[in-house]
């Protein structure tokens, strides 16, 4: 029999047999144990915590707290988190949540620093709450994370239908969110619905899904107040908002995303896949790698795939290996990429397309002292491929080894080499037909 709460190395073998350091295999009956596989600062690195559920070995272990529908230390995740008052770097805590649906009402789960919250999987551990606030702040969130905290392997549903409602609020410091699913109920027309809000925090999001459907203003992931936001292998679906809706919004913050999928559709007003806005004196660098954006079903306002606003002349934003597709619907204006008010963009190995829109549909637009370097990409717009503006502080586009479809409109400067229209018709150095 394994010792209670034994942590076992997983480097060799799993199934019902688990290898130990002496290469002996010992069979365990998984019906009698709760197994948590993870790499955690509060537990084993690349290991499994074996927690006896029954018998003489079913006893507490220091700083590991089990939440379960029955037989655990607690049956309410909010009460569990509130009971931890002495967590620290040298005394971290791990909260393990067994399978089940946990109705926590208006009780928030507030994670103090150095506490990790781990469910049994986002399809089997469900947290259901009804929490809101008149402001889009920590009081509107189901989970509030502090410094050196993490949330993983569970789903969150906020059913509040009035005021503002959030899934997770990262309140300063550094936090990690992994393998989490977040949904919200149909909110009020005047309220904000946000999946994850990072407020002056370093927030890392991996392998997660956010789905917002109907309500007022919707933001899948929102970073503000000089946050550092890193997103990997995550999907966001935002639809049917009464007002503005964003897949990701980064305000005066840094955004780095790899393999991010955004679907923004059927809103009643403005829609953006990604919007960043920094202010000219704020570092708001944006890196988007293997981004997939779809914006469609617009009826009014601007329909934008990626909007890079007020980046500042020292900021270099990057979009690479990505696809940005915008269908402007019946809206007046649509653009797949919009670079405005200073800042530089490198667009590499990407496909950018804008279709429909009742008035103007542009593949990419720039203005006011912006510069874009475009290579190995395809840019197409129903009305214009690229539009350069800016007046006395005109925009500049350097394009090479690319396709440009839909024409151009300019009071800026084009520099082109090895650029073609559809059907491989070569363009001259000014992107004009030869």
């Amino acid at each position: 029999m394994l010792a209670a709460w034994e942590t076992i190395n997983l480097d060799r073998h799993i199934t019902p047999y688990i290898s130990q350091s002496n290469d002996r295999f010992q069979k365990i009956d998984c019906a009698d144990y709760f197994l948590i596989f993870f790499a955690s600062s509060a537990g084993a690195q690349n290991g499994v915590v074996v927690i006896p559920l029954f018998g003489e070995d079913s006893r507490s272990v220091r700083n590991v707290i089990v939440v379960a529908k029955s037989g655990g230390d607690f049956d309410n995740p909010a009460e569990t988190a509130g009971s931890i008052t002495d967590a620290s770097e040298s005394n971290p805590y791990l909260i393990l949540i067994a399978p089940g649906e946990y109705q926590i009402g208006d009780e928030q789960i507030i994670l103090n620093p150095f506490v990790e919250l781990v469910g049994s999987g986002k399809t089997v551990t469900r947290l259901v709450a009804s929490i809101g606030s008149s402001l889009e702040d920590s009081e509107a969130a189901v989970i509030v994370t502090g410094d050196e905290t993490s949330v993983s392997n569970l789903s969150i549903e906020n059913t509040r239908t009035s005021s503002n409602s959030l899934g997770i609020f990262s309140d300063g410091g550094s936090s990690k969110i992994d393998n989490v699913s977040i949904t919200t109920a149909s909110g009020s027309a005047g309220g904000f619905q946000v999946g994850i809000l990072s407020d002056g925090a370093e927030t890392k999001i991996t392998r997660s899904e956010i789905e917002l459907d109907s309500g007022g203003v919707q933001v899948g992931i929102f970073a503000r107040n000089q946050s550092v936001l890193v997103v990997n292998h995550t999907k966001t679906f935002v639809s049917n908002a009464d007002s503005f809706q964003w897949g990701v919004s980064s305000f005066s913050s840094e955004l780095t995303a790899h393999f991010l999928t955004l679907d923004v559709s059927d809103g009643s007003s403005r829609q953006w896949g990604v919007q960043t806005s920094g202010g000219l004196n704020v570092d708001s660098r944006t890196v988007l790698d293997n981004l997939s954006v779809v914006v469609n079903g617009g009826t009014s306002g601007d329909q934008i795939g990626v909007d890079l606003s007020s980046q500042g002349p020292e900021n270099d934003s990057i979009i690479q290996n990505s696809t940005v597709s915008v269908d402007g619907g019946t809206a007046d204006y649509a653009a797949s990429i919009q670079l405005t008010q200073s800042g530089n963009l490198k667009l590499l190995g990407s496909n950018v397309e804008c279709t429909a829109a009742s008035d103007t549909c542009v593949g990419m637009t720039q203005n006011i002292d912006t510069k874009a370097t475009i290579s190995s990409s395809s840019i197409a717009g129903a009305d214009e491929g690229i539009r350069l503006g800016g007046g006395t502080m005109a925009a500049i586009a350097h394009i090479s080894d690319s396709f440009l479809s839909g024409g151009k409109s300019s009071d800026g400067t084009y520099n082109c080499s090895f650029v073609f229209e559809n059907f491989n018709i070569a363009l001259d150095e000014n992107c004009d037909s030869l």
Side-chain angles (χ1 to χ4, degrees), residues 64 66 69 75 96 101 104 136-137 152 177 184 233 239 252 272 314 337 382 394 398 407 414 422-423 432:
V64 177
V66 178
K69 302 298 289 184
D75 61 8
L96 303 175
E101 181 178 294
I104 61 177
E136 62 274 16
D137 60 9
S152 61
I177 300 165
T184 63
H233 294 276
S239 61
S252 297
W272 297 266
E314 303 302 319
I337 297 177
H398 298 279
Y414 288 94
N422 288 342
F423 310 110
D432 293 323

Side-chain angles (χ1 to χ4, degrees), residues 249-272:
S249 178
S250 175
F251 182 74
S252 297
S253 298
E254 288 189 29
L255 169 63
T256 302
H258 302 279
F259 295 95
L260 172 64
T261 299
L262 304 174
D263 190 317
V264 183
S265 63
D266 300 326
S268 298
S269 185
R270 292 182 172 181
Q271 299 187 128
W272 297 266

